[in-house]
């Protein structure tokens, strides 16, 4: 279902159209080589944001370059498409590395005649201009666990072998009821399916509130992929999902533990320094005309709340475990500061 259409059926997510795996040893056919790939994202998209966070936490900025699409998709032949514009650092409206205006050009380069959806994130081979993968979950997992030799010294172990089963178990519930649950709620075609989706969403948030009341992170004593997956939705919740998607039983800021947890991560390098709330609001309110036909963008909430003390360190644990924080955000990748 397209975001600019009035919902008539329950939202369904199609499998990734391109799913080549990239690993340090190339055992699936593609090797992680410095400079070979370009990651195309939107700062607005929660699925793309996961990969951006992992890339930064692992220190892979020099290994894989970043291309940021405009948060407001352009309508091309009746469909919304991710495009590059002057406003997002692409002179002449073309990505300076890939030479394309619309991401779909890289999809078509890989598969002429492709007529499916075009999504971010997309990993593109800079040599051929072909999309390699738009599988956000596999991209983030592989960058966390399979790009090791290219990662920075002190990079955290975001996917510890001994915790993977628990990470995936938590992740499945978070995906079904929260990550995708907000969309199932916002695009519910009737009252019955809305009630079911919003009920599951807040039941899961209540469960997460209880879990995070006694521990700093979702799994283990430092940041893992479980936190990355949940936080991408928490960041957008009060700014977009609460009002626009009718996820309005409670705000995240009304959950004591979840809101403190969300602020703790926002203030951790790799999270808030990859977040652009202006892009988030612009995308959701201007693009999703099926549920917001006026395109009027909401003004709030006040982003300064993200910078207030959280006191989560009292629960123990440390963000990076035995590792260290990533260094400064690379030139040209900074997001507007909150102040």
């Amino acid at each position: 279902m397209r975001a600019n259409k009035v919902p008539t059926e329950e939202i369904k997510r199609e499998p990734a159209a391109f799913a080549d795996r990239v690993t340090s040893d190339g055992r699936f056919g593609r090797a992680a080589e410095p400079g070979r790939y370009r990651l195309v994202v939107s700062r607005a998209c929660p699925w793309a944001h996961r990969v951006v966070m992992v890339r930064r936490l692992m220190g892979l900025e020099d290994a894989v370059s970043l291309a940021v699409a405009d948060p407001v998709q352009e309508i091309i032949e009746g469909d919304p498409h991710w495009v590059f514009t002057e406003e997002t650092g692409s002179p002449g409206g073309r990505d300076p590395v890939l030479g394309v205006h619309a991401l779909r050009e890289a999809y078509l380069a890989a598969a002429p005649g492709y007529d499916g959806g075009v999504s971010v994130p997309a990993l593109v081979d800079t040599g051929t201009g072909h999309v390699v993968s738009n599988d956000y979950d596999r991209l983030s997992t592989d960058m966390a666990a399979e790009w090791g030799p290219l990662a920075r010294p002190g990079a955290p172990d975001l996917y510890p072998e001994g915790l993977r089963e628990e990470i995936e178990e938590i992740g499945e519930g978070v995906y079904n009821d929260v990550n995708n649950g907000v969309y199932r709620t916002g695009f519910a075609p009737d009252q019955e399916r809305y009630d079911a989706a919003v009920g599951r969403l807040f039941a899961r948030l209540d469960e997460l509130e209880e879990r995070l009341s006694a521990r700093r992170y979702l799994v283990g004593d430092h940041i893992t992929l479980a936190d990355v997956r949940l936080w991408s939705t928490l960041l957008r919740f009060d700014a977009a999902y609460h009002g626009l998607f009718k996820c309005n039983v409670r705000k995240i800021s009304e959950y004591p533990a979840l809101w403190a947890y969300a602020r703790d991560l926002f203030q951790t390098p790799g999270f808030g320094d990859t977040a652009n709330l202006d892009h988030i609001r612009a995308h959701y309110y201007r693009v999703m005309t099926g549920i917001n036909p006026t395109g009027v963008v909401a003004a709030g909430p006040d982003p300064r709340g993200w910078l207030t003390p959280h006191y989560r360190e009292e629960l123990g644990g440390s963000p990076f475990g035995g590792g260290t924080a990533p260094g400064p955000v690379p030139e040209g990748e900074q997001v507007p500061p909150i102040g």
Side-chain angles (χ1 to χ4, degrees):
M1 183 187 67
R2 299 200 297 264
N4 61 341
K5 297 296 183 181
V6 175
T8 58
E9 59 183 29
E10 191 169 35
I11 191 168
K12 294 183 174 64
R13 297 199 176 275
E14 300 297 328
F18 301 89
D20 286 3
R21 291 188 62 181
V22 181
T23 62
S24 60
D25 59 8
R27 66 185 183 279
F28 297 105
R30 288 188 175 272
E33 303 170 11
R36 179 175 176 181
Y37 300 104
R38 188 159 176 80
L39 179 65
V40 179
V41 303
S42 163
R43 295 280 190 191
C45 174
W47 317 104
H49 196 177
R50 293 184 182 192
V51 188
V52 174
M53 286 187 280
V54 171
R55 171 181 175 268
R56 170 135 172 75
L57 290 165
M58 299 301 293
L60 294 168
E61 294 100 324
D62 290 337
V64 56
S65 62
L66 187 71
V68 178
D70 196 286
V72 180
Q73 291 164 292
E74 181 179 317
I75 302 300
I76 301 175
E77 298 177 0
D79 291 323
H81 282 276
W82 299 108
V83 298
F84 302 102
T85 62
E86 296 270 1
E87 289 74 17
T88 53
S90 297
R94 290 190 171 274
D95 179 71
V97 173
L98 302 176
V100 300
H101 171 60
L103 176 57
R104 75 168 185 163
E105 296 173 50
Y107 275 62
L108 290 170
Y114 176 77
D115 61 358
V118 174
S119 64
V120 288
L123 193 68
V124 182
D125 188 318
T126 58
T128 63
H130 294 181
V131 170
V132 170
S133 175
N134 68 330
D135 186 336
Y136 65 88
D137 192 52
R138 177 52 63 187
L139 280 171
S140 57
T141 302
D142 280 347
M143 281 191 182
E146 296 285 354
W147 289 47
L150 297 180
R152 65 180 175 87
D157 187 354
L158 297 175
Y159 201 47
E161 288 196 23
L163 297 177
R164 290 181 183 181
E165 184 175 345
E166 187 176 3
I167 289 170
E168 293 305 326
E169 181 181 355
I170 292 286
E172 182 177 4
V174 166
Y175 170 79
N176 288 327
D177 300 335
V178 181
N179 301 143
N180 200 41
V182 295
Y183 286 87
R184 290 174 54 246
T185 301
F187 288 92
D190 55 51
Q191 190 69 49
E192 181 180 3
R193 280 176 280 192
Y194 168 79
D195 290 344
V198 79
R200 286 179 58 180
L201 167 62
F202 282 94
R204 184 67 65 179
L205 289 175
D206 290 347
E207 179 184 297
L208 291 166
E209 170 74 6
E210 183 176 359
R211 182 180 183 89
L212 289 167
S213 294
R215 55 193 304 156
R216 189 172 182 184
Y217 304 108
L218 280 174
V219 180
D221 59 2
H222 69 275
I223 291 163
T224 67
L225 284 179
D227 302 295
V228 170
R229 292 165 177 172
L230 174 61
W231 192 80
S232 65
T233 296
L234 298 185
L235 173 70
R236 292 157 174 81
F237 200 97
D238 289 6
Y241 305 142
H242 178 268
L244 185 63
F245 282 13
K246 299 185 286 293
C247 300
N248 60 355
V249 175
R250 281 178 294 280
K251 296 177 181 177
I252 295 301
S253 58
E254 294 171 348
Y255 281 99
L258 270 172
W259 178 224
Y261 164 82
R263 299 198 315 277
D264 183 6
L265 291 179
F266 187 94
Q267 295 167 35
T268 299
F271 289 81
D273 58 15
T274 63
N276 190 321
L277 288 166
D278 292 337
H279 277 208
I280 289 168
R281 284 194 300 272
H283 172 72
Y284 280 99
Y285 282 94
R286 290 182 60 187
V287 171
M288 311 234 169
T289 53
I291 55 176
N292 187 41
T294 65
V296 173
V297 179
D302 187 338
R304 290 175 293 183
W306 286 101
L307 302 181
T308 57
H310 53 77
Y311 307 110
R312 295 284 291 179
E313 61 276 357
E314 296 175 5
L315 293 172
S318 59
F320 307 105
T324 59
V329 177
E331 185 77 24
E333 293 189 14
Q334 297 91 344
V335 297
I338 290 174

